[in-house]
Amino acid sequence: MGPEANSRRYALLPQMKDYDRVGTEWVPYLMFINRKGFQSPSCNTDEHGFRHTHRGDSVLAYRQFTQAAAPKGLIMGGSLAFGVGASHDRATVASVLNQRPGLTWWNSGGRAFNSTQELLWFLVHLPKVDRIVLLSGMNNLLVYHSCARFIPGLGGFTNDVRFHRLMRLNGSLRSVGRVAWDILKTKTREKIQRLMKRPPIIPGPREQARPSFREIIEILERDLEIWRLLSASLGCSVRFCLQPSPLWFKKVLTREEEELFAILDARGASAWLPLSRHLRDAYPAYRNALEQVCQRKGFPFLDANELMPSEGWLFCDRVHLTDEGYRVVADLLERWNGS
C-alpha cells in the first residue's frame, strides 16, 4: 500500500494505525496469540494477551472477571470478536454488551484465530462462565483457501508461510542460504514493483476445486463436539453466531466503505480478487453446513448476515467493523441471548 493510500485510510479510520502495530507473539500449542501488553489510544491488551474489556467507565481486569459474580459470558472468535476497527476498547462487542444490564462479558477474541485456536485459547485459561458466544466462522474459510498447507484433520493457520519458511532453516547452512535467497528474491521483486508503481504480487489462494468443504466442516464439527462436552461438564451454554461480511449479504456501500475497499483491493489485487470470489461463492453451502453441525450438537445458531442493516457505515474492510457495526452486532447478540 502506497503512502498516499495509507494516509487516506488512516484519515478515514485513525485507529487502524494502532491495529497495524498490534502484532502477535509466537507461543506453544496455539502458534500465536495477541501481542501482550500492547498500549495505544484505541487498542490495548493485558499481560495475557486479552484485549481490554470495559465495564462502565473502568477496565475489567481478567482476575476481576474470573472473580465476578455470575452470570458471566465470553465473546470468543477471531479478529472480529477481538474488535479490529473499533475506535476504542469500549467499542468492542463485549464492552458494548457490558453497558447493558445482565451478564458480565469478557473479550476473548484472538486475531486470526481459527476454531481450533479459539478452543485451545479457552482451554489454556478455562474460566468459569455461564455462556459462551462463538462469534466466528470466517477464519476457517479464509485459511482453507489461502494457507500454504491445509492438512485434513489438522487444518491450517494464518501466516503458515512464515512458519514453514522458518522451519526450513533446520540449522543447516544450505537451508539458511535457500531461505535467504527466497527472501531476497521477494524483497527485490517488491522493490522493483514499487519503483514501477505496481502493487506487489501476493501469493493467492489455491485454485484447486473444493466443492464440498468437507475438510473444513469436519474440523468445525470436531471442535464443536469438544465444545459440547465442555458445555455439559462445565455447566455453561454455547451459541454460534456466524460473523457478518459484506461479501455475504446485500450491503449498500457507503462512500467511506467504497473508498476503503478500493484502497485494500489495490494493495493485494492479485490475491484478493480470486479469494473474495471463493468466499462469496462458498457462503450458502458453508452457512447451511454450519447450521446443520450446530443443530447436531444442540447449539443455537445465528447468521448475523441475515439481520445486518443494508445501509450505514458498518465496515472498515470486508471482515472487520466500525463502532456502529460493532454496536449493531452487540444489539443482535443481546436480543438473541435474551431469547
Side-chain angles (χ1 to χ4, degrees), residues 115-190:
S115 62
T116 306
Q117 290 168 307
E118 294 165 12
L119 177 61
L120 290 172
W121 186 231
F122 176 81
L123 290 173
V124 165
H125 298 280
L126 208 62
K128 182 173 176 54
V129 295
D130 303 279
R131 177 159 295 178
I132 298 170
V133 173
L134 303 175
L135 180 58
S136 186
M138 174 64 80
N139 284 346
N140 281 61
L141 195 57
L142 272 170
V143 167
Y144 180 70
H145 285 296
S146 61
C147 73
R149 301 183 186 180
F150 187 96
I151 302 173
L154 294 176
F157 57 93
T158 304
N159 277 336
D160 69 328
V161 171
R162 181 183 174 195
F163 172 77
H164 291 300
R165 176 182 289 167
L166 291 171
M167 291 302 99
R168 285 173 58 195
L169 288 172
N170 199 27
S172 72
L173 289 176
R174 179 178 296 179
S175 296
V176 171
R178 184 168 59 246
V179 173
W181 176 244
D182 288 346
I183 295 172
L184 179 61
K185 287 193 298 183
T186 301
K187 294 297 183 183
T188 302
R189 183 172 64 240
E190 290 175 352

Side-chain angles (χ1 to χ4, degrees), residues 10-242:
Y10 292 153
L12 289 168
L13 293 168
Q15 62 268 32
M16 297 311 295
K17 188 176 295 186
D18 296 330
Y19 291 105
D20 288 347
R21 296 189 300 113
V22 174
T24 56
E25 295 185 18
W26 292 92
V27 295
Y29 312 117
L30 283 154
M31 300 306 300
F32 53 83
I33 60 171
N34 309 316
R35 179 178 162 192
K36 300 176 185 175
F38 180 78
Q39 295 182 344
S40 74
S42 58
C43 176
N44 300 272
T45 61
D46 67 12
E47 67 274 19
H48 306 288
F50 290 117
R51 182 163 186 179
H52 284 186
T53 302
H54 278 251
R55 190 180 188 191
D57 296 326
S58 60
V59 175
L60 183 66
Y62 181 67
R63 181 179 292 274
Q64 291 175 311
F65 173 75
T66 60
Q67 295 175 349
K72 296 183 290 186
L74 293 181
I75 300 295
M76 302 207 65
S79 51
L80 188 137
F82 179 85
V84 169
S87 66
H88 195 276
D89 299 321
R90 288 189 296 268
T92 67
V93 170
S95 292
V96 172
L97 287 173
N98 277 339
Q99 297 170 10
R100 291 90 183 269
L103 280 72
T104 299
W105 291 94
W106 180 258
N107 185 336
S108 196
R111 294 191 68 174
F113 275 7
N114 58 36
S115 62
T116 306
Q117 290 168 307
E118 294 165 12
L119 177 61
L120 290 172
W121 186 231
F122 176 81
L123 290 173
V124 165
H125 298 280
L126 208 62
K128 182 173 176 54
V129 295
D130 303 279
R131 177 159 295 178
I132 298 170
V133 173
L134 303 175
L135 180 58
S136 186
M138 174 64 80
N139 284 346
N140 281 61
L141 195 57
L142 272 170
V143 167
Y144 180 70
H145 285 296
S146 61
C147 73
R149 301 183 186 180
F150 187 96
I151 302 173
L154 294 176
F157 57 93
T158 304
N159 277 336
D160 69 328
V161 171
R162 181 183 174 195
F163 172 77
H164 291 300
R165 176 182 289 167
L166 291 171
M167 291 302 99
R168 285 173 58 195
L169 288 172
N170 199 27
S172 72
L173 289 176
R174 179 178 296 179
S175 296
V176 171
R178 184 168 59 246
V179 173
W181 176 244
D182 288 346
I183 295 172
L184 179 61
K185 287 193 298 183
T186 301
K187 294 297 183 183
T188 302
R189 183 172 64 240
E190 290 175 352
K191 187 173 182 178
I192 292 172
Q193 288 166 340
R194 281 197 298 271
L195 291 173
M196 296 175 65
K197 295 184 178 181
R198 289 171 54 193
I201 297 174
I202 302 172
R206 297 170 301 166
E207 291 293 341
Q208 56 262 52
R210 295 183 178 274
S212 67
F213 312 112
R214 177 180 53 82
E215 295 99 331
I216 318 176
I217 300 306
E218 285 178 352
I219 289 172
L220 280 161
E221 183 147 21
R222 177 206 61 202
D223 292 343
L224 288 173
E225 172 63 13
I226 299 173
W227 278 117
R228 186 189 69 79
L229 296 172
L230 286 169
S231 172
S233 63
L234 298 176
C236 61
S237 66
V238 176
R239 296 183 170 210
F240 192 103
C241 177
L242 180 58

